[in-house]
Amino acid sequence: MGRHDLVPAFLLDAIMIIRNIESKIRLATFLSAGSLLAALAIVAINAVCTYRLVSNAQKNIYILDNNVPILARQTDMQMNRPAEYRAHIDLFHSLFFSLTPDDNYMEYQMKKAMYLIDESGMKQYNNLKENGFFNSILSSSSVLTLETDSIHIDPIRKIFRYYGRLKIDRRSSTVVRSLITEGSLKDIPRSDNNPHGVIITGWKTLENKDISNVEKNTF
């Protein structure tokens, strides 16, 4: 008699059923583990792709040119930062020193200039006001025009030195002054009033002296 002949038929059926169940459990476990691993792989791939998309999106900056948005790359913006610093410094000095004998105009210029500088700008403005600088412009009908000679910038230390010539055109004479100032630069978020996203800090005048004074023929 064979070995299986000694085992009742119902036990053989039970053993076969158990083996089938075990096989199905192993198959289900394998499928579940495979599905889990596949899901984790998909999540990881999606996370990496999303991170790259977000990183690339953050490098895109839109600049308004006459109210027209122009796409610029953040890396390009950083490479062009020294040029923006120079434009900002030049703009501030032009607003602060290029003046006409008009109260409203001078107030408008100073208001715009103060968006580009910290309290050191207001301090110098108040000093000039107390010394009668703006009243003298009105009383003498002077027109002030600032011409930039050069702007030296250390982009690492974020400091600058400005060199310019201030022409003061009065009724009786034309005076040209040598103007040298210096200060530091601090990056801030861009705004309509500060499109370059930087403010001047610790600003001070190193030199403001006459280099020529030409009398006009008044008759």
Side-chain angles (χ1 to χ4, degrees):
M1 280 178 103
R3 177 179 168 183
H4 292 291
D5 294 337
L6 298 177
V7 181
F10 73 92
L11 288 179
L12 290 175
D13 292 339
I15 292 172
M16 294 300 296
I17 291 172
I18 292 172
R19 287 179 178 175
N20 288 336
I21 292 174
E22 289 177 347
S23 298
K24 291 179 179 180
I25 291 175
R26 283 195 297 269
L27 178 61
T29 301
F30 175 77
L31 292 176
S32 298
S35 299
L36 178 60
L37 292 175
L40 290 175
I42 292 173
V43 170
I45 293 171
N46 286 336
V48 171
C49 292
T50 302
Y51 176 78
R52 289 180 178 176
L53 288 174
V54 172
S55 297
N56 290 333
Q58 289 177 342
K59 292 179 181 179
N60 293 331
I61 299 174
Y62 288 89
I63 303 173
L64 289 179
D65 183 10
N66 294 325
N67 293 324
V68 177
I70 299 175
L71 179 64
R73 299 291 295 180
Q74 191 176 43
T75 52
D76 296 336
M77 295 293 293
Q78 292 301 322
M79 291 176 61
N80 198 44
R81 202 60 174 142
E84 285 195 295
Y85 288 155
R86 287 188 177 87
H88 182 91
I89 295 165
D90 186 64
L91 175 60
F92 167 75
H93 284 80
S94 178
L95 289 171
F96 196 91
F97 289 105
S98 294
L99 304 171
T100 60
D102 184 317
D103 271 334
N104 292 331
Y105 180 78
M106 287 192 288
E107 183 179 349
Y108 172 76
Q109 289 284 94
M110 292 301 148
K111 182 178 180 181
K112 290 184 66 177
M114 291 306 112
Y115 285 114
L116 311 179
I117 194 169
D118 69 352
E119 64 276 4
S120 61
M122 181 59 70
K123 182 179 179 181
Q124 288 213 38
Y125 168 72
N126 289 333
N127 288 338
L128 291 173
K129 191 173 183 180
E130 291 175 2
N131 293 330
F133 175 73
F134 300 102
N135 286 334
S136 68
I137 294 175
L138 294 172
S139 62
S140 62
S141 297
S142 301
V143 176
L144 280 66
T145 306
L146 181 66
E147 180 181 346
T148 300
D149 286 336
S150 62
I151 302 173
H152 297 171
I153 297 176
D154 184 339
I156 304 300
R157 299 166 60 196
K158 292 187 178 180
I159 59 175
F160 73 89
R161 182 165 289 185
Y162 174 92
Y163 298 87
R165 296 192 177 196
L166 182 62
K167 179 181 178 182
I168 305 175
D169 193 2
R170 302 189 180 109
R171 287 191 297 261
S172 59
S173 64
T174 299
V175 177
V176 177
R177 289 180 178 175
S178 171
L179 179 68
I180 303 176
T181 72
E182 69 177 13
S184 301
L185 302 167
K186 180 181 179 181
D187 292 327
I188 62 171
R190 299 173 190 268
S191 67
D192 291 340
N193 293 315
N194 193 324
H196 296 115
V198 59
I199 60 171
I200 296 169
T201 63
W203 182 57
K204 58 184 178 182
T205 300
L206 302 179
E207 180 178 285
N208 187 4
K209 67 178 183 180
D210 292 355
I211 56 176
S212 70
N213 189 340
V214 179
E215 297 293 330
K216 292 183 177 179
N217 189 352
T218 57
F219 56 88

